[in-house]
Amino acid sequence: MSADEATRDGAATARRKPPWTATVLTIFPEMFPGHLGASLAGKALERDLWALRVLDIRDFARDKHRSVDDAPFGGGAGMVMRPDVVDAALEAAKAQGPGPAIYLSPRGRLLTQALVRELAAGPGAILLCGRYEGVDERVLEAHGVAEVSLGDYVLSGGEPAALGLMDAVVRLLPGVVGNEASPAEESFERGLLEYPHYTRPAAWRGRKVPQVLTSGHHEKVRRWRQGQAERITEERRPDLWAHYLKDRDEGEGREP
Ligand code: ADE
């Protein structure tokens, strides 16, 4: 066994609980793990730091054409995923995978870093990916499915959103990101957007790196970065800035 394999083996033995598990329901199983397989998340998947199960919704269809959708009651464009088919798929997913059932939809609660952290702290998630116009409302109600949106725009389906959600969660899992300190410093983790970064060369096309960064004075660097993060957040995201100020003011009033 190589040193690398021994480390992996040790990590697997030391871990008592099963890894964070994504159970994906989709009519495009070939879209998974997709880009995740080529990145940090792919390596973590190989190392069993998380697990991915993919169920093809078509396997739960009842007719010989394997249809999963039908025309909407009340008329209108597009097709709707059938409740009986999605129900059977969700039942199978719940029997296999832990965590809340989430339907990826532009109608859902916005996926924030706070929600990503909440999901990463749990055992996993069941991710229902819709295509067509959507999923019959009754099956979402019956299974207590939560809806989550990646942003205020419409994707062609839930699959790219599920991949985005998994990417955001997996990088927070223990052992996935090499430098454990970095997630705490990045955008959103402290309620602020990130400060600007610079590397060599110190002068590039007549643009110099801010002098404080080459001063070697750690406290001054820290203060400069904090100031920059605040400036950028105030300029670009007044919504986050208002939140940050509120939290900061409330924090100041609190007993230590
Ligand atoms: N499916 C289609 N658009 C979506 C979005 N913005 N977020 C999550 N799922 C989606």
Side-chain angles (χ1 to χ4, degrees):
M1 193 187 283
S2 71
D4 217 25
E5 280 164 345
T7 312
R8 272 180 227 158
D9 198 49
T13 316
R15 201 181 45 242
R16 274 179 211 101
K17 52 181 189 179
W20 192 88
T21 301
T23 309
V24 179
L25 297 174
T26 173
I27 55 165
F28 293 111
E30 66 278 13
M31 285 176 76
F32 296 88
H35 71 271
L36 293 184
S39 67
L40 206 72
K43 292 214 176 72
L45 192 57
E46 280 173 20
R47 290 167 59 205
D48 296 328
L49 295 176
W50 67 292
L52 173 64
R53 294 181 187 145
V54 183
L55 303 186
D56 186 345
I57 299 175
R58 281 198 197 284
D59 290 343
F60 301 91
R62 285 142 192 245
D63 60 343
K64 67 172 193 292
H65 303 293
R66 308 216 315 148
S67 10
V68 296
D69 60 325
D70 212 325
F73 281 120
M79 300 288 269
V80 178
M81 282 185 153
R82 292 173 56 110
D84 51 350
V85 177
V86 174
D87 171 56
L90 275 169
E91 286 295 343
K94 285 180 172 178
Q96 291 189 28
I102 293 172
Y103 170 46
L104 282 312
S105 142
R107 213 174 62 164
R109 167 183 173 193
L110 210 57
L111 183 67
T112 59
Q113 191 66 17
L115 179 53
V116 170
R117 272 196 300 267
E118 203 180 295
L119 290 170
I126 293 168
L127 303 175
L128 171 62
C129 303
R131 286 267 152 178
Y132 319 112
E133 280 310 294
V135 175
D136 188 290
E137 192 72 18
R138 294 166 295 179
V139 72
L140 300 176
E141 286 168 12
H143 281 270
V145 175
E147 292 187 44
V148 171
S149 168
L150 226 60
D152 292 338
Y153 40 79
V154 182
L155 300 166
S156 55
E159 287 82 2
L163 287 165
L165 182 152
M166 288 191 281
D167 185 309
V169 167
V170 165
R171 57 187 296 287
L172 295 188
L173 300 175
V176 174
V177 175
N179 177 4
E180 296 289 349
S182 67
E185 275 294 305
E186 67 202 10
S187 287
F188 306 116
E189 282 297 338
R190 297 172 308 133
L192 291 172
L193 300 178
E194 245 185 318
Y195 51 78
H197 300 279
Y198 299 89
T199 187
R200 273 180 281 273
W204 177 75
R205 293 196 185 168
R207 294 165 191 263
K208 291 198 180 116
V209 166
Q211 214 169 5
V212 62
L213 298 180
T214 53
S215 70
H217 195 300
H218 296 308
E219 181 51 25
K220 279 191 189 157
V221 169
R222 193 198 62 74
R223 280 206 301 268
W224 181 85
R225 286 178 170 164
Q226 177 70 17
Q228 291 289 313
E230 291 182 358
R231 178 186 63 78
I232 288 173
T233 307
E234 185 177 13
E235 274 173 21
R236 300 184 187 178
R237 293 289 301 273
D239 56 329
L240 289 180
W241 181 241
H243 245 280
Y244 174 75
L245 290 181
K246 187 165 163 286
D247 283 357
R248 194 176 66 177
D249 294 347
E250 282 170 7
E252 273 170 10
R254 232 179 274 139
E255 291 295 313

